Amino acid sequence: MGGYPDLCNHLLTFMSTRYEVICWYTPEEWAKVRALSRDGEALGSTYDRWLEGAQSMAQRLEAEGAAVARVHVDAGSLLAFARSTHADNIDSGVRQAFALEKNVGNV
């Protein structure tokens, strides 16, 4: 039938959903971001190792009921974001903040 109760149920479902963002890279961008990052080793020693870990994390979060956004990151945009926020270094916090900002409105 539709109407107010359906809208409320949809809104409650939306509000109770946990949203997570994961930075996602192509092999080329992974190498660039790793080189730019103060904590580049946190991105794994190879792209394949990073990808395996990122896919595993996404699957775990989805299994826990989270909605996961894989946010594509390119080094140029990340560097511009870091400069615009006056970040001294690119690290996991800056990468996560970039992904969150880039994903705003996609929820």
Side-chain angles (χ1 to χ4, degrees), residues 1-6:
M1 174 164 135
Y4 185 73
D6 290 338

Side-chain angles (χ1 to χ4, degrees), residues 57-97:
M57 178 186 292
Q59 289 169 350
R60 181 181 53 79
L61 291 169
E62 289 168 341
E64 293 172 0
V68 177
R70 292 157 179 86
V71 179
H72 292 274
V73 176
D74 69 271
S77 296
L78 177 60
L79 188 55
F81 172 81
R83 289 180 178 150
S84 75
T85 61
H86 307 288
D88 293 329
N89 297 292
I90 294 176
D91 59 17
S92 63
V94 172
R95 293 189 301 269
Q96 189 70 12

Side-chain angles (χ1 to χ4, degrees), residues 19-26 29 33 50 54 58 67-75 77-78 94-107:
Y19 293 92
E20 298 284 346
V21 296
I22 296 177
C23 294
W24 215 257
Y25 309 99
T26 64
E29 293 303 321
V33 170
W50 167 79
V68 177
R70 292 157 179 86
V71 179
H72 292 274
V73 176
D74 69 271
S77 296
L78 177 60
V94 172
R95 293 189 301 269
Q96 189 70 12
F98 174 76
L100 286 167
E101 182 169 299
K102 189 173 177 185
N103 196 57
V104 168
N106 292 332
V107 177

Side-chain angles (χ1 to χ4, degrees), residues 8-74:
C8 287
N9 286 336
H10 177 71
L11 186 57
L12 288 172
T13 301
F14 174 79
M15 291 173 55
S16 66
T17 301
R18 185 172 118 213
Y19 293 92
E20 298 284 346
V21 296
I22 296 177
C23 294
W24 215 257
Y25 309 99
T26 64
E28 296 80 18
E29 293 303 321
W30 171 86
K32 291 176 188 175
V33 170
R34 189 175 192 280
L36 285 172
S37 297
R38 179 184 66 180
D39 63 346
E41 71 282 350
L43 294 172
S45 58
T46 67
Y47 175 79
D48 289 336
R49 284 186 185 212
W50 167 79
L51 182 60
E52 183 180 311
Q55 288 173 330
S56 176
M57 178 186 292
Q59 289 169 350
R60 181 181 53 79
L61 291 169
E62 289 168 341
E64 293 172 0
V68 177
R70 292 157 179 86
V71 179
H72 292 274
V73 176
D74 69 271

